[in-house]
Structures are given as structure tokens and as C-alpha cells.
Amino acid sequence: MKAVTTCVCCSMVLLATALISSAAEPTVVLDDDFSQLPSRLISSPVGAHTEYHYLPEAAPVGNWAVSTFASRGESQRAWRVQSDRGETVMAQAYTKKGEPFWHPMLVAGDPLWQNYTVTVRFAPQSDNGRCGIAFRYQNDRCYYFFGLEGEKLRLLKIRHASALHRPNETVLAETPFPWKPSEYLVATVSVSGSSIRAGVENGPTLEATDPTYGRGRIALLADGPSYFSSVRVAMSEGAHTAFTKERAAREADLSRLQQANPKPVVWKKISTMGFGVGRNLRFGDLDGDGQIDVLIGQVVHHGPSDRYSELSCLTAMTFDGKVLWRTGEPDKWKDHLTNDVGFQIHDLDNDGHNEVIYCRNFEIIVADGATGKVKYKAPTPTTRRDDDRYERILGDCLFFCDIEGKGHASNIIIKDRYWHVWALNDRLDLLWTAECTTGHYPFAYDTDGDGKDELAVGYTLFDSDGTRLWSLDDQISDHCDGVAIARFREDLPPHILNAASDEGIFFTDLSGKILQHYYFGHVQNPAIANFRDDLPGLETVSINFWRNQGILNFFDADHQPYHDCEPVQCGSMCLPVNWTGRSEEFFVHSPNVDEGGMFDGWGRCVVRFPDDGHPDMCNAVLDITGDCRDEVVVWDPAEIWVYTQDDSPKPGRLYHPQRNPLCNYSNYQASVSLPGWSE
């Protein structure tokens, strides 16, 4: 609820005394003048690589983590430690133009902080946008703000958005306040229960009452160049005692959960030095021995950026490190990947032996999985856009389905980057082509029960013969980062999930009617699985990226949000992992020792990876040993490690979910894990 604004003038001493409490000696929980940090950039131009890679450049520095950036490289270089007038400051150097739905932010603290006082000394260098403090920060889309905007002091509540790029903001209080660029101000905010009191030294005070956020971290926020010279967070003795007890209970709960779950132990290690890559592996039995092998694809980018990318080298290996075959020339400088390219492992002709199907040099090639010998090939489809660089497409991805009703996935779907899709038979003959906003990766499902797959491509559903059944392209503006069709509850018909980039996340029925639409920021990489036994049906978890990195949102089977958190400010694949053999699955956030781990349906880190020097850039989840439970593959361009459980093999009846087929493995897949059990 909104409160009446009051303005008073007081000294900083009197204000701080009133705001903290009557306690003579408050407990300081954060006191940072940035002098212990090296003078350098603390936010790096990591780009789309951090959508599904863990990079040390994105890790916290000291007390602080970069919470937001846009695709523009300048915004990724926003925060740096430097000197101003002889003192160390945290500088924000980027000028954000427009886009009121996000703000450069640097976050610190503990989500359990409840009643506290935060004092910040800062000097905006211009009057561009907002500058000040975010407090009771839930995530970078849900928080309170106090600070400058134009010639006003403002106290705001931000809670997601009401529509695309339309932030849902409430003015709790505001007042005119003249100020000068480059002049240092001292702002103090105190929160106690639902009461908020905020003011500046020798300036006005704003008061409000609002119960929306009862706890949360703090963040520095600046839309334009600004210097922050000190940050202090203090609590009364009672508030600190309560926080300490809650923190201890949280840590005890996490320790209990982690002790109850199997520990990851190394099963295999293989070197990929010189021919390795980031998240561009495929998995399947290549040599017909019944064991899972790995296919490593290096990439060449023709530019601009990753718009035109294709394979440059393929290396087929066993998990014992034996190279089965290779095509193309390996190059250690071609390990950087921020998109899909066309290559997969699949038994295309259903003869019991896998082929490798890939795109290279404007050809679709079908090769023997064991030897790499080309069996047959055909030119890729011709370009349908006047502004395309090449006469034929390179092949943005490959997807397999059954649109002919043969009983196995003998059809190939190939697409360009965002606009067109082609359907082929197993001999690479064209069956049909279509146009839509394709998004990144399709999903197949027999929606009408005729034995042939329908195809969800972005926000469009195609019949098996290519007929457009319906499309939401005229309603949803941003591209689709992930689509899936699933029966979320046994008593419900299948529904369609769309991770819609800046449009958030929405669910439709099979006729295209939108059931729920949540403007939760740039949503991608969703996963559907049984993450909680106490809720009926299947749950959904999604993660955010551009301008909103790291926010996890959880939804029940009725598509109602039930939890959100922001454990790490970077992207992830959120891959379901059957780690225990029990019916509740976890998902992997990243393999990093400090920030990663396996998380449960409450957003708790229930399995940590050992501190053993393993690579932590990439991860994949699949059952390699064949015992129903999953292994976790972690890697970087130099090496691949495989983790299994320390109690493996585990006897008895085990959970054995049905997953997206390995032949449709993608950086943009929406993961679906349907319940099942071993015999």
C-alpha cells in the first residue's frame, strides 16, 4: 500500500540515529569502501557466452556481483574500480539510453537480510536516468529503490512488468530535490517490518509503508556514469540475532539435504586439448558397442557475430578417450560458441546403427557413425531472404521427428536463423517448407493422435504436412528461446510452454489460446519435470538472461508461479537430473564449486560438486553408465570429466524418466522429463 510523503530536513547524524534504532552499537554486516579491490573492470564483455556457459569473468568480485547487462558490449563494461579525487570508488561508466525496464546494478548481501539500515555515499556524474540504492532486493526485477531521478528524490517499488518492456512500478513517495552532477551525496535507507524511511544528508526524508518485500539484499543502481565511494549496512542487535539464527537454520537445512544425497565422484576424464570446444557436444552410441560416445564440433563464424556459423571440425570419441574418426582440421582458436550449429547423432534409417548427420559447406551430410564415412549428402535448402549473405543456408540446427508416420524419427527439420523451416525425408528430399518466427529450436508432438508428429516452431504449430494450424507471431514480438509440449498433469490435456525471451514465459492450449502469460523478463532454457513430490503433476523451472541474468522462476502444473530466486547472476541450461533414483529430480545450475551445483524444486542447492579442479564451463546430463540414474558431464575446451554417484550402482527399482531424445540435443532445447520407473 502507498503512504503519504513527508519531507523534513535533518543532519546525517540525527537521521542515522533515527533510522537505525535506539541501539547504541548496531552490528555492521557490510562495510565496503572498495579499497581492497584491484583497480580494474569488474564487469567484462562476456556476451551470450554466459547464456549456458559458466565463466569466471562473471563471478562475484569481493562483495559484489554484476546483476544486469544488455547485449551491447558497452553495458557489459559498465562497472569498474578506479580513483576519484584521491579515494577508491566503484564507478559505473555506461550511459543507458532508453529501455526503462532494466537498470545497471551491482548486488551484495544476503537474501535473509530483513530489518537493516543501508548508507551509501555516491556522486552521479550526469542526470541520466536513476541513481541510488536498491534494497530488499529479491532479484533485479523485484526490489525497492531510493535515489535520484531527474530533479526528484524517489522511493519506488518495482515488481516485474505489466506488459512487454513496461515495468510495473509504484511510487511510494517522492519530492523535488535540486542537486549537482559530480557532487557527493549520502543516502540512508532504513527498513523495519513494512516501514520504510529514506533520506539524504542535509536533505529531505521520505516515508512509506509497504509489505511487499520483507527481506532481501542491497544493490547499487545507476543508469549513467556515477561514483560510489562507500556502502554500509547495519542492523540492530535484535535484527542481527534474528538474521544469524535464520542463516544458521538455512545452512543446517542445506547441509542436511546435501548429506542425504549421493556425492559426485569422477568416473571418466578425457583430454580434448586442441580440438575441444564450449557447449557444442553431442552424445550417442557411435561405434555400435552399446556405450555412449561423444561428438565434438568446432565452429567457424562467418559473421557478423554468430549470425552465420557452421562446423569446421568434427571429432568422434569414446569416453575412454579413443578417437574414432575426425573430419575437418582441429583449431584451438575455434572453441567459442554462442549458438547452435547443425550436427547430431541419430539412427536415421532405423537399422540399429547411428549415423552422424551434419551441415558443412552448404551440404547436409549423412555419415556412418562408427567411421565418419559419408553415406550420402545433398545441398542445403536455398536461401529465401534477399539480405542473406549466401545462396544456400548454412543450417542453423537439425531436429528429428516423425511427420510421415513411419513409427520412428526419420524426418529432418532444418532451419535458418529466425525465419524459415524445411522438412526433409531420410533421403534428404524436400517434403515442405514454411515461414514463421522460428525461434531457436523446434519441438515435435502428435497432438491429434494420428500417428504423425505436429511441429511447434517458435509460436507456430504446423501439421505433419506443413499446414499452419495456428500462429501467435502477430501477438508475440520477441523470438522464442524454448518451446515444449507436455501433459503437465494426468487429468489435463497437453499444453505448450514458450520461453519467449523479453516477452517472458507463457503457456497455451493446443489451439493456441494463451492460458497464462508472465512478463518475468528475458526467459529462456525452461525445464519440465517432477521437481517436487508434494505438488501434483510436473513443475517448470526457467531462467533469465539478457538484462535480468540468473532469475529462476518456478511454476506448478497449473502454470502458477510458486517460487523465484536468483542464486547466481548468469545463465544456465537448467537440465533435469535424476541423481538419486527417487521420483524427485534436481536440475544442474553449473558445475562451479562455489556458485553452482544441483538445485531442487525449492531453489536449494542440494548437491555440490567437489573442489577437485574439474572444468566448470559447461555441463550435460544423461545416463552414460546405464543404471537409470544420470551422470553429469562437465567440460571446457581442454578436457571432459564425467561424474557419477558415490553409491553407484544402486540396486532395486529406480526412477527412470523419459527425456528429450539425445538426437535432438540443443543449446536451446526446452527439456522435458516425464515420469517413469525401471522394471
Side-chain angles (χ1 to χ4, degrees):
M1 59 186 171
K2 190 173 178 180
V4 177
T5 301
T6 62
C7 300
V8 300
C9 290
C10 57
S11 71
M12 189 58 199
V13 174
L14 293 175
L15 178 62
T17 301
L19 294 182
I20 291 174
S21 77
S22 61
E25 295 294 333
T27 301
V28 177
V29 293
L30 176 67
D31 193 1
D32 202 338
D33 63 0
F34 312 107
S35 61
Q36 301 305 304
L37 298 178
S39 294
R40 63 171 180 84
L41 282 172
I42 69 163
S43 55
S44 302
V46 294
H49 212 200
T50 46
E51 285 188 272
Y52 34 73
H53 298 83
Y54 181 87
L55 301 180
E57 296 92 328
V61 177
N63 296 311
W64 304 93
V66 177
S67 185
T68 58
F69 57 74
S71 59
R72 295 173 295 282
E74 297 89 344
S75 76
Q76 299 169 36
R77 294 172 52 88
W79 296 95
R80 60 198 68 193
V81 179
Q82 64 180 72
S83 177
D84 178 51
R85 301 172 230 183
E87 63 178 329
T88 303
V89 297
M90 180 65 72
Q92 202 287 94
Y94 172 64
T95 300
K96 183 175 72 70
K97 304 209 185 284
E99 299 185 337
F101 52 92
W102 78 281
H103 307 275
M105 300 173 75
L106 201 63
V107 64
D110 194 302
L112 294 179
W113 284 358
Q114 187 171 354
N115 298 320
Y116 55 83
T117 294
V118 52
T119 302
V120 178
R121 184 171 180 265
F122 66 108
Q125 302 300 295
S126 75
D127 61 356
N128 184 78
R130 291 175 186 169
C131 185
I133 314 165
F135 58 99
R136 284 191 173 168
Y137 170 109
Q138 312 299 296
N139 55 59
D140 51 53
R141 296 177 60 82
C142 297
Y143 55 90
Y144 297 113
F145 168 80
F146 174 69
L148 302 169
E149 186 169 15
E151 295 187 351
K152 289 183 177 180
L153 273 177
R154 308 192 80 193
L155 181 60
L156 307 175
K157 177 178 68 177
I158 294 86
R159 188 171 178 85
H160 287 300
S162 57
L164 175 65
H165 295 168
R166 190 182 302 164
N168 184 17
E169 298 184 351
T170 303
V171 179
L172 299 177
E174 62 182 13
T175 188
F177 181 68
W179 60 280
K180 298 177 181 178
S182 300
E183 182 180 69
Y184 274 96
L185 302 169
V186 178
T188 299
V189 176
S190 182
V191 284
S192 180
S194 60
S195 298
I196 305 171
R197 197 164 189 233
V200 294
E201 184 178 20
N202 300 318
T205 298
L206 304 180
E207 293 183 327
T209 300
D210 187 272
T212 305
Y213 306 129
R215 63 188 67 206
R217 296 182 285 175
I218 62 103
L220 311 179
L221 186 154
D223 289 334
S226 304
Y227 297 156
F228 297 83
S229 69
S230 64
V231 183
R232 184 177 186 265
V233 180
M235 300 176 182
S236 69
E237 182 180 357
H240 185 257
T241 299
F243 162 66
T244 302
K245 288 181 178 179
E246 277 200 89
R247 182 179 58 186
R250 178 187 63 193
E251 297 307 311
D253 187 48
L254 287 175
S255 178
R256 175 185 58 79
L257 292 167
Q258 292 166 10
Q259 289 298 319
N261 292 313
K263 306 296 185 296
V265 294
V266 177
W267 181 66
K268 298 281 187 180
K269 296 182 187 180
I270 55 176
S271 173
T272 57
M273 188 70 72
F275 60 91
V277 74
R279 203 174 190 285
N280 207 32
L281 307 187
R282 302 292 187 267
F283 306 95
D285 182 5
L286 292 169
D287 55 7
D289 66 352
Q291 303 298 312
I292 297 291
D293 304 304
V294 59
L295 192 63
I296 303 168
Q298 290 191 323
V299 178
V300 58
H301 301 292
H302 301 295
S305 300
D306 60 4
R307 181 170 177 180
Y308 295 100
S309 303
E310 67 172 325
L311 283 172
S312 60
C313 177
L314 274 179
T315 302
M317 296 182 71
T318 71
F319 274 106
D320 289 322
K322 177 184 178 182
V323 175
L324 299 173
W325 53 267
R326 175 177 288 141
T327 181
E329 187 72 23
D331 186 340
K332 64 182 180 181
W333 281 25
K334 293 180 177 177
D335 62 359
H336 189 87
L337 181 86
T338 55
N339 61 318
D340 271 349
V341 290
F343 76 108
Q344 299 287 5
I345 302 170
H346 180 47
D347 184 5
L348 187 61
D349 55 12
N350 202 35
D351 68 348
H353 300 282
N354 279 326
E355 285 77 43
V356 171
I357 303 94
Y358 62 99
C359 296
R360 192 178 176 201
N361 297 325
F362 305 103
E363 295 179 317
I364 307 176
I365 300 165
V366 179
D368 181 79
T371 65
K373 182 179 179 181
V374 175
K375 300 174 71 171
Y376 54 96
K377 60 185 180 179
T380 57
T382 55
T383 303
R384 296 187 59 185
R385 289 175 58 91
D386 293 337
D387 60 347
D388 264 341
R389 173 179 292 184
Y390 302 113
E391 181 182 352
R392 296 185 177 275
I393 68 169
L394 292 168
D396 182 74
C397 68
L398 296 173
F399 177 86
F400 300 96
C401 57
D402 183 13
I403 59 175
E404 293 183 284
K406 292 185 176 181
H408 66 278
S410 63
N411 297 112
I412 304 171
I413 306 299
I414 187 171
K415 59 183 280 294
D416 57 16
R417 188 67 167 151
Y418 289 117
W419 308 279
H420 303 93
V421 61
W422 294 262
L424 313 176
N425 64 17
D426 58 359
R427 300 304 301 178
L428 309 182
D429 301 315
L430 179 66
L431 299 178
W432 51 262
T433 184
E435 183 175 354
C436 65
T437 303
T438 63
H440 285 303
Y441 205 65
F443 195 93
Y445 196 103
D446 183 7
T447 62
D448 57 10
D450 67 349
K452 301 177 182 179
D453 283 334
E454 279 65 52
L455 195 68
V457 185
Y459 310 125
T460 302
L461 187 67
F462 293 99
D463 205 351
S464 56
D465 61 359
T467 301
R468 181 180 299 198
L469 298 174
W470 51 264
S471 180
L472 300 178
D473 281 352
D474 60 344
Q475 298 183 45
I476 309 296
S477 61
D478 207 347
H479 68 270
C480 180
D481 263 335
V483 59
I485 306 175
R487 191 182 297 274
F488 290 82
R489 272 201 347 238
E490 287 299 319
D491 60 333
L492 295 175
H495 289 164
I496 303 177
L497 173 156
N498 284 105
S501 302
D502 279 13
E503 288 266 12
I505 188 169
F506 67 93
F507 302 83
T508 77
D509 62 18
L510 294 181
S511 68
K513 178 184 177 182
I514 296 177
L515 304 172
Q516 283 92 19
H517 192 164
Y518 302 102
Y519 295 97
F520 283 178
H522 190 101
V523 176
Q524 56 188 44
N525 291 330
I528 302 167
N530 181 46
F531 294 118
R532 287 181 54 173
D533 281 343
D534 65 321
L535 296 178
L538 304 178
E539 292 73 52
T540 301
V541 62
S542 65
I543 195 165
N544 282 27
F545 195 62
W546 294 118
R547 308 181 190 92
N548 311 124
Q549 296 90 267
I551 304 172
L552 294 169
N553 283 292
F554 298 80
F555 306 85
D556 64 21
D558 296 314
H559 320 314
Q560 299 298 313
Y562 69 82
H563 183 61
D564 65 83
C565 57
E566 189 186 77
V568 185
Q569 276 77 22
C570 64
S572 173
M573 286 298 298
C574 296
L575 298 172
V577 54
N578 176 25
W579 188 249
T580 67
R582 302 185 295 268
S583 54
E584 274 186 346
E585 294 200 71
F586 308 142
F587 63 93
V588 181
H589 198 298
S590 85
N592 184 260
V593 173
D594 298 315
E595 295 195 276
M598 304 181 202
F599 287 69
D600 68 6
W602 289 263
R604 303 173 299 192
C605 182
V606 294
V607 178
R608 291 200 175 277
F609 287 90
D611 189 5
D612 56 3
H614 64 266
D616 59 7
M617 177 185 283
C618 313
N619 71 90
V621 172
L622 65 158
D623 178 13
I624 300 177
T625 64
D627 68 345
C628 296
R629 295 191 296 175
D630 291 316
E631 280 64 52
V632 180
V633 186
V634 304
W635 73 94
D636 61 18
E639 54 185 340
I640 301 172
W641 293 29
V642 182
Y643 284 101
T644 192
Q645 299 83 0
D646 65 354
D647 62 349
S648 187
K650 188 175 182 179
R653 188 169 182 258
L654 299 175
Y655 196 63
H656 192 196
Q658 301 175 36
R659 300 268 181 71
N660 307 54
L662 284 177
C663 64
N664 288 332
Y665 205 76
S666 166
N667 290 328
Y668 299 104
Q669 70 185 54
S671 301
V672 179
S673 188
L674 302 177
W677 292 88
S678 65
E679 298 299 327

